[in-house]
Short mmCIF file of all heavy atoms in Angstrom, two decimals:
data_model
loop_
_atom_site.label_atom_id
_atom_site.label_comp_id
_atom_site.label_asym_id
_atom_site.label_seq_id
_atom_site.Cartn_x
_atom_site.Cartn_y
_atom_site.Cartn_z
N ARG A 14 129.69 44.02 97.53
CA ARG A 14 128.71 43.96 98.62
C ARG A 14 128.11 45.43 98.80
O ARG A 14 128.86 46.28 99.10
CB ARG A 14 129.18 43.36 99.90
CG ARG A 14 128.27 43.01 100.95
CD ARG A 14 127.47 41.80 100.48
NE ARG A 14 126.43 41.43 101.58
CZ ARG A 14 125.15 41.65 101.38
NH1 ARG A 14 124.63 42.40 100.33
NH2 ARG A 14 124.21 41.39 102.33
N HIS A 15 126.83 45.49 98.64
CA HIS A 15 126.22 46.80 98.76
C HIS A 15 125.21 46.74 99.86
O HIS A 15 124.47 45.66 99.90
CB HIS A 15 125.51 47.31 97.53
CG HIS A 15 126.48 47.15 96.26
ND1 HIS A 15 127.54 47.78 96.04
CD2 HIS A 15 126.30 46.17 95.32
CE1 HIS A 15 128.16 47.40 94.93
NE2 HIS A 15 127.47 46.40 94.48
N TYR A 16 124.79 47.76 100.63
CA TYR A 16 123.75 47.90 101.49
C TYR A 16 122.81 48.99 101.12
O TYR A 16 123.29 50.05 100.69
CB TYR A 16 124.24 48.00 102.92
CG TYR A 16 124.95 46.78 103.45
CD1 TYR A 16 126.30 46.98 103.85
CD2 TYR A 16 124.37 45.59 103.62
CE1 TYR A 16 126.99 45.85 104.38
CE2 TYR A 16 125.06 44.46 104.13
CZ TYR A 16 126.40 44.67 104.47
OH TYR A 16 127.13 43.56 105.01
N GLY A 17 121.50 48.79 101.17
CA GLY A 17 120.57 49.93 100.97
C GLY A 17 120.44 50.13 99.40
O GLY A 17 121.08 49.49 98.61
N GLN A 18 119.56 51.21 99.19
CA GLN A 18 119.23 51.54 97.85
C GLN A 18 119.17 52.98 97.64
O GLN A 18 118.94 53.74 98.57
CB GLN A 18 117.93 50.84 97.32
CG GLN A 18 118.09 49.31 97.21
CD GLN A 18 116.77 48.78 96.87
OE1 GLN A 18 115.66 49.30 97.00
NE2 GLN A 18 116.81 47.51 96.27
N GLY A 19 119.20 53.43 96.35
CA GLY A 19 119.05 54.85 96.17
C GLY A 19 120.03 55.66 96.85
O GLY A 19 121.27 55.42 96.91
N ASP A 20 119.49 56.84 97.47
CA ASP A 20 120.43 57.81 98.19
C ASP A 20 121.23 57.22 99.30
O ASP A 20 122.24 57.68 99.67
CB ASP A 20 119.66 59.04 98.69
CG ASP A 20 119.14 59.78 97.56
OD1 ASP A 20 119.58 59.59 96.38
OD2 ASP A 20 118.17 60.65 97.77
N THR A 21 120.55 56.08 99.90
CA THR A 21 121.27 55.59 101.15
C THR A 21 122.11 54.35 100.73
O THR A 21 122.58 53.64 101.67
CB THR A 21 120.17 55.14 102.16
OG1 THR A 21 119.38 54.12 101.49
CG2 THR A 21 119.37 56.25 102.52
N ARG A 22 122.36 54.11 99.44
CA ARG A 22 123.13 52.92 99.05
C ARG A 22 124.56 52.99 99.45
O ARG A 22 125.21 54.09 99.24
CB ARG A 22 122.99 52.68 97.56
CG ARG A 22 123.76 51.50 97.11
CD ARG A 22 123.53 51.42 95.57
NE ARG A 22 124.61 50.87 94.83
CZ ARG A 22 124.54 49.59 94.44
NH1 ARG A 22 123.54 48.86 94.57
NH2 ARG A 22 125.55 49.18 93.70
N LEU A 23 125.04 52.07 100.13
CA LEU A 23 126.49 52.00 100.50
C LEU A 23 127.16 50.88 99.81
O LEU A 23 126.67 49.80 99.86
CB LEU A 23 126.64 51.70 102.04
CG LEU A 23 126.33 52.64 103.08
CD1 LEU A 23 126.32 52.01 104.45
CD2 LEU A 23 127.41 53.81 103.07
N SER A 24 128.20 51.22 99.08
CA SER A 24 129.04 50.22 98.41
C SER A 24 130.21 49.79 99.31
O SER A 24 131.15 50.66 99.50
CB SER A 24 129.56 50.67 97.08
OG SER A 24 128.49 50.79 96.16
N ILE A 25 130.21 48.67 99.96
CA ILE A 25 131.20 48.40 100.92
C ILE A 25 132.35 47.63 100.26
O ILE A 25 133.57 47.90 100.46
CB ILE A 25 130.60 47.57 102.13
CG1 ILE A 25 129.44 48.35 102.76
CG2 ILE A 25 131.68 47.17 103.18
CD1 ILE A 25 129.86 49.69 103.33
N LEU A 26 132.06 46.61 99.48
CA LEU A 26 133.08 45.89 98.86
C LEU A 26 132.87 46.11 97.29
O LEU A 26 131.79 45.86 96.77
CB LEU A 26 133.04 44.41 99.17
CG LEU A 26 133.26 44.07 100.66
CD1 LEU A 26 133.05 42.50 100.90
CD2 LEU A 26 134.63 44.46 101.02
N LYS A 27 133.94 46.50 96.59
CA LYS A 27 133.87 46.86 95.28
C LYS A 27 134.89 46.04 94.40
O LYS A 27 135.99 46.41 94.41
CB LYS A 27 134.09 48.42 95.05
CG LYS A 27 133.08 49.12 95.74
CD LYS A 27 133.10 50.73 95.36
CE LYS A 27 133.70 51.50 96.45
NZ LYS A 27 133.77 52.88 96.10
N SER A 28 134.43 45.02 93.81
CA SER A 28 135.33 44.14 93.09
C SER A 28 136.63 43.75 93.94
O SER A 28 137.68 43.89 93.42
CB SER A 28 135.70 44.83 91.80
OG SER A 28 136.16 43.81 90.93
N ALA A 29 136.36 43.24 95.10
CA ALA A 29 137.36 42.96 95.99
C ALA A 29 137.89 41.54 95.77
O ALA A 29 137.14 40.61 95.41
CB ALA A 29 136.84 42.95 97.44
N ASP A 30 139.32 41.44 95.67
CA ASP A 30 139.97 40.14 95.47
C ASP A 30 140.79 39.80 96.65
O ASP A 30 141.51 40.77 97.22
CB ASP A 30 140.90 40.24 94.18
CG ASP A 30 140.12 40.49 92.96
OD1 ASP A 30 138.99 39.94 92.75
OD2 ASP A 30 140.62 41.29 92.23
N PHE A 31 140.97 38.59 97.00
CA PHE A 31 141.77 38.19 98.21
C PHE A 31 141.96 36.72 98.11
O PHE A 31 141.11 35.93 97.80
CB PHE A 31 141.08 38.59 99.47
CG PHE A 31 141.73 38.05 100.62
CD1 PHE A 31 143.06 38.60 101.08
CD2 PHE A 31 141.23 37.10 101.48
CE1 PHE A 31 143.69 38.10 102.17
CE2 PHE A 31 141.89 36.56 102.57
CZ PHE A 31 143.15 37.12 102.87
N ALA A 32 143.29 36.28 98.51
CA ALA A 32 143.49 34.89 98.57
C ALA A 32 144.16 34.51 99.90
O ALA A 32 145.13 35.29 100.37
CB ALA A 32 144.39 34.44 97.39
N LEU A 33 143.73 33.55 100.54
CA LEU A 33 144.36 33.06 101.86
C LEU A 33 144.92 31.62 101.57
O LEU A 33 144.28 30.77 100.96
CB LEU A 33 143.21 32.92 102.87
CG LEU A 33 143.63 32.66 104.32
CD1 LEU A 33 144.47 33.77 104.83
CD2 LEU A 33 142.40 32.40 105.13
N HIS A 34 146.18 31.54 101.96
CA HIS A 34 146.94 30.20 101.69
C HIS A 34 146.99 29.31 102.89
O HIS A 34 147.02 29.80 104.01
CB HIS A 34 148.31 30.51 101.18
CG HIS A 34 148.37 31.40 99.93
ND1 HIS A 34 148.33 32.73 100.07
CD2 HIS A 34 148.49 31.08 98.71
CE1 HIS A 34 148.36 33.24 98.79
NE2 HIS A 34 148.57 32.21 97.96
N SER A 35 147.04 28.04 102.70
CA SER A 35 147.09 27.11 103.88
C SER A 35 148.28 27.47 104.75
O SER A 35 149.29 27.83 104.17
CB SER A 35 147.08 25.71 103.34
OG SER A 35 148.29 25.51 102.55
N GLY A 36 148.09 27.44 106.01
CA GLY A 36 149.19 27.67 106.93
C GLY A 36 149.49 29.07 107.29
O GLY A 36 150.36 29.32 108.14
N GLU A 37 148.86 30.09 106.73
CA GLU A 37 149.14 31.40 106.92
C GLU A 37 148.17 32.09 107.89
O GLU A 37 146.99 31.67 107.85
CB GLU A 37 149.35 32.21 105.71
CG GLU A 37 148.25 32.53 104.90
CD GLU A 37 148.49 33.55 103.72
OE1 GLU A 37 149.58 34.13 103.70
OE2 GLU A 37 147.63 33.71 102.90
N ILE A 38 148.65 33.10 108.55
CA ILE A 38 147.82 33.92 109.47
C ILE A 38 147.86 35.32 108.94
O ILE A 38 149.01 35.97 108.88
CB ILE A 38 148.21 33.91 110.96
CG1 ILE A 38 148.38 32.49 111.38
CG2 ILE A 38 147.31 34.71 111.74
CD1 ILE A 38 148.87 32.35 112.89
N VAL A 39 146.75 35.83 108.54
CA VAL A 39 146.72 37.14 107.87
C VAL A 39 145.83 38.13 108.78
O VAL A 39 144.73 37.76 109.20
CB VAL A 39 146.04 37.12 106.46
CG1 VAL A 39 145.93 38.44 105.90
CG2 VAL A 39 147.00 36.22 105.60
N ALA A 40 146.44 39.34 109.01
CA ALA A 40 145.66 40.34 109.82
C ALA A 40 144.81 41.19 108.84
O ALA A 40 145.32 41.56 107.78
CB ALA A 40 146.65 41.20 110.48
N LEU A 41 143.59 41.40 109.22
CA LEU A 41 142.76 42.38 108.48
C LEU A 41 142.60 43.56 109.36
O LEU A 41 141.87 43.61 110.32
CB LEU A 41 141.45 41.65 108.17
CG LEU A 41 140.34 42.57 107.52
CD1 LEU A 41 140.73 43.11 106.21
CD2 LEU A 41 139.07 41.66 107.37
N VAL A 42 143.19 44.72 108.91
CA VAL A 42 143.30 45.88 109.75
C VAL A 42 142.69 47.02 108.91
O VAL A 42 143.30 47.43 107.88
CB VAL A 42 144.74 46.18 110.15
CG1 VAL A 42 144.71 47.45 111.10
CG2 VAL A 42 145.47 45.08 110.80
N ALA A 43 141.65 47.60 109.35
CA ALA A 43 141.07 48.70 108.57
C ALA A 43 140.06 49.52 109.52
O ALA A 43 139.70 48.93 110.51
CB ALA A 43 140.19 48.21 107.42
N PRO A 44 139.96 50.73 109.25
CA PRO A 44 139.07 51.67 110.10
C PRO A 44 137.74 51.13 110.37
O PRO A 44 137.24 50.39 109.35
CB PRO A 44 139.13 52.94 109.36
CG PRO A 44 140.38 53.04 108.61
CD PRO A 44 140.48 51.53 108.06
N SER A 45 137.15 51.43 111.38
CA SER A 45 135.72 51.02 111.63
C SER A 45 134.81 51.48 110.49
O SER A 45 134.93 52.56 109.97
CB SER A 45 135.35 51.79 112.97
OG SER A 45 134.06 51.33 113.31
N GLY A 46 133.96 50.53 110.17
CA GLY A 46 132.89 50.77 109.10
C GLY A 46 133.40 50.56 107.69
O GLY A 46 132.61 50.86 106.80
N THR A 47 134.63 50.14 107.54
CA THR A 47 135.19 49.98 106.12
C THR A 47 134.82 48.67 105.52
O THR A 47 134.99 48.37 104.50
CB THR A 47 136.71 50.15 106.06
OG1 THR A 47 137.23 49.41 107.07
CG2 THR A 47 137.13 51.59 106.16
N GLY A 48 134.32 47.70 106.38
CA GLY A 48 133.82 46.49 105.82
C GLY A 48 134.52 45.10 106.25
O GLY A 48 134.35 44.08 105.61
N LYS A 49 135.16 45.25 107.38
CA LYS A 49 135.89 44.01 107.82
C LYS A 49 134.91 42.88 108.12
O LYS A 49 135.14 41.77 107.74
CB LYS A 49 136.68 44.36 109.01
CG LYS A 49 137.84 45.32 108.88
CD LYS A 49 138.58 45.64 110.07
CE LYS A 49 137.96 46.20 111.27
NZ LYS A 49 137.25 47.60 110.89
N SER A 50 133.88 43.28 108.94
CA SER A 50 132.93 42.19 109.32
C SER A 50 132.18 41.68 108.04
O SER A 50 131.91 40.40 107.83
CB SER A 50 131.89 42.60 110.30
OG SER A 50 132.59 42.95 111.45
N THR A 51 131.86 42.62 107.11
CA THR A 51 131.29 42.25 105.85
C THR A 51 132.09 41.23 105.12
O THR A 51 131.60 40.19 104.57
CB THR A 51 130.91 43.50 104.98
OG1 THR A 51 130.13 44.41 105.82
CG2 THR A 51 130.25 43.15 103.71
N LEU A 52 133.32 41.49 104.97
CA LEU A 52 134.28 40.73 104.34
C LEU A 52 134.39 39.28 104.94
O LEU A 52 134.30 38.25 104.23
CB LEU A 52 135.72 41.26 104.23
CG LEU A 52 136.78 40.52 103.43
CD1 LEU A 52 136.68 40.86 101.97
CD2 LEU A 52 138.14 40.85 103.94
N LEU A 53 134.41 39.24 106.27
CA LEU A 53 134.40 37.94 106.87
C LEU A 53 133.18 37.13 106.80
O LEU A 53 133.12 35.98 106.55
CB LEU A 53 134.67 38.11 108.40
CG LEU A 53 136.14 38.66 108.74
CD1 LEU A 53 136.28 39.06 110.21
CD2 LEU A 53 137.24 37.67 108.44
N HIS A 54 131.96 37.88 106.77
CA HIS A 54 130.70 37.23 106.63
C HIS A 54 130.59 36.67 105.18
O HIS A 54 130.06 35.47 105.01
CB HIS A 54 129.54 38.18 106.92
CG HIS A 54 129.48 38.47 108.32
ND1 HIS A 54 128.74 39.50 108.79
CD2 HIS A 54 130.04 38.01 109.46
CE1 HIS A 54 128.76 39.54 110.13
NE2 HIS A 54 129.71 38.67 110.47
N VAL A 55 131.11 37.29 104.24
CA VAL A 55 131.02 36.91 102.89
C VAL A 55 132.03 35.70 102.59
O VAL A 55 131.66 34.63 102.08
CB VAL A 55 131.27 38.09 101.71
CG1 VAL A 55 131.52 37.49 100.43
CG2 VAL A 55 130.17 38.99 101.82
N ALA A 56 133.17 35.87 103.25
CA ALA A 56 134.19 34.85 103.08
C ALA A 56 133.70 33.54 103.78
O ALA A 56 134.09 32.41 103.23
CB ALA A 56 135.51 35.32 103.67
N GLY A 57 133.05 33.70 104.85
CA GLY A 57 132.56 32.53 105.60
C GLY A 57 131.22 31.99 105.27
O GLY A 57 130.68 31.28 105.93
N LEU A 58 130.73 32.44 104.17
CA LEU A 58 129.50 31.99 103.57
C LEU A 58 128.20 32.25 104.43
O LEU A 58 127.23 31.60 104.35
CB LEU A 58 129.52 30.45 103.21
CG LEU A 58 130.67 29.95 102.52
CD1 LEU A 58 130.59 28.49 102.21
CD2 LEU A 58 130.88 30.67 101.10
N LEU A 59 128.40 33.29 105.26
CA LEU A 59 127.25 33.72 106.13
C LEU A 59 126.38 34.66 105.38
O LEU A 59 125.15 34.86 105.57
CB LEU A 59 127.74 34.38 107.37
CG LEU A 59 128.35 33.41 108.41
CD1 LEU A 59 129.04 34.22 109.49
CD2 LEU A 59 127.35 32.38 108.95
N GLU A 60 126.99 35.46 104.35
CA GLU A 60 126.27 36.32 103.43
C GLU A 60 126.67 36.10 102.06
O GLU A 60 127.74 35.70 101.85
CB GLU A 60 126.72 37.78 103.74
CG GLU A 60 126.09 38.42 104.97
CD GLU A 60 126.54 39.88 105.07
OE1 GLU A 60 126.76 40.59 104.08
OE2 GLU A 60 126.63 40.34 106.24
N HIS A 61 125.76 36.30 101.13
CA HIS A 61 126.13 36.09 99.65
C HIS A 61 126.66 37.57 99.28
O HIS A 61 126.20 38.63 99.68
CB HIS A 61 124.82 35.93 98.81
CG HIS A 61 124.38 34.55 98.96
ND1 HIS A 61 124.97 33.42 98.16
CD2 HIS A 61 123.39 33.96 99.68
CE1 HIS A 61 124.34 32.28 98.55
NE2 HIS A 61 123.28 32.59 99.33
N PRO A 62 127.70 37.53 98.30
CA PRO A 62 128.05 38.82 97.79
C PRO A 62 127.03 39.15 96.73
O PRO A 62 126.25 38.31 96.28
CB PRO A 62 129.36 38.47 97.03
CG PRO A 62 129.32 36.97 96.86
CD PRO A 62 128.50 36.37 97.92
N ASP A 63 126.88 40.44 96.37
CA ASP A 63 125.97 40.92 95.34
C ASP A 63 126.50 40.43 93.89
O ASP A 63 125.82 40.45 93.02
CB ASP A 63 125.71 42.44 95.39
CG ASP A 63 125.07 42.75 96.69
OD1 ASP A 63 123.91 42.26 96.92
OD2 ASP A 63 125.62 43.40 97.56
N ALA A 64 127.79 40.32 93.89
CA ALA A 64 128.46 39.79 92.70
C ALA A 64 129.87 39.34 93.02
O ALA A 64 130.34 39.53 94.15
CB ALA A 64 128.66 40.94 91.64
N GLY A 65 130.42 38.37 92.14
CA GLY A 65 131.77 37.86 92.40
C GLY A 65 131.63 36.41 92.90
O GLY A 65 130.49 35.91 93.10
N GLU A 66 132.65 35.86 93.25
CA GLU A 66 132.67 34.46 93.61
C GLU A 66 133.58 34.22 94.96
O GLU A 66 134.59 34.98 95.17
CB GLU A 66 133.36 33.67 92.50
CG GLU A 66 133.33 32.10 92.73
CD GLU A 66 131.95 31.46 92.95
OE1 GLU A 66 131.34 31.17 91.88
OE2 GLU A 66 131.54 31.42 94.09
N VAL A 67 133.15 33.34 95.73
CA VAL A 67 133.93 32.86 96.92
C VAL A 67 134.22 31.51 96.65
O VAL A 67 133.42 30.54 96.45
CB VAL A 67 133.08 32.93 98.25
CG1 VAL A 67 133.86 32.41 99.41
CG2 VAL A 67 132.66 34.49 98.43
N THR A 68 135.54 31.12 96.73
CA THR A 68 136.06 29.70 96.49
C THR A 68 136.72 29.26 97.69
O THR A 68 137.59 29.81 98.26
CB THR A 68 136.99 29.79 95.24
OG1 THR A 68 136.35 30.43 94.06
CG2 THR A 68 137.39 28.35 94.79
N ILE A 69 136.22 28.08 98.15
CA ILE A 69 136.82 27.45 99.35
C ILE A 69 137.45 26.19 98.91
O ILE A 69 136.80 25.28 98.39
CB ILE A 69 135.76 27.16 100.42
CG1 ILE A 69 134.75 28.37 100.70
CG2 ILE A 69 136.41 26.65 101.70
CD1 ILE A 69 135.24 29.31 101.74
N ASN A 70 138.73 25.95 99.06
CA ASN A 70 139.43 24.82 98.77
C ASN A 70 139.14 24.37 97.29
O ASN A 70 139.00 23.19 97.02
CB ASN A 70 139.12 23.69 99.75
CG ASN A 70 140.13 22.62 99.80
OD1 ASN A 70 141.31 22.93 99.54
ND2 ASN A 70 139.73 21.39 100.12
N GLY A 71 139.10 25.30 96.42
CA GLY A 71 138.96 24.99 95.00
C GLY A 71 137.56 24.90 94.60
O GLY A 71 137.26 24.72 93.37
N HIS A 72 136.58 24.94 95.44
CA HIS A 72 135.12 24.78 95.05
C HIS A 72 134.44 26.17 95.12
O HIS A 72 134.41 26.74 96.19
CB HIS A 72 134.39 23.83 96.07
CG HIS A 72 135.07 22.48 96.11
ND1 HIS A 72 135.02 21.59 95.13
CD2 HIS A 72 135.78 21.81 97.09
CE1 HIS A 72 135.68 20.48 95.41
NE2 HIS A 72 136.23 20.62 96.62
N ALA A 73 133.89 26.52 94.00
CA ALA A 73 133.15 27.73 93.86
C ALA A 73 131.83 27.61 94.68
O ALA A 73 131.17 26.63 94.43
CB ALA A 73 132.86 28.02 92.44
#
Side-chain angles (χ1 to χ4, degrees):
R14 191 73 181 101
H15 316 286
Y16 294 115
Q18 286 180 340
D20 290 348
T21 59
R22 182 177 150 106
L23 280 173
S24 289
I25 302 302
L26 299 175
K27 296 190 250 181
S28 199
D30 298 319
F31 173 67
L33 184 69
H34 303 82
S35 58
E37 71 173 348
I38 305 180
V39 177
L41 174 58
V42 185
S45 184
T47 47
K49 298 182 295 298
S50 300
T51 302
L52 183 83
L53 292 172
H54 291 167
V55 170
L58 310 182
L59 291 170
E60 283 184 32
H61 285 280
D63 295 299
E66 184 60 90
V67 179
T68 307
I69 311 270
N70 202 26
H72 300 292

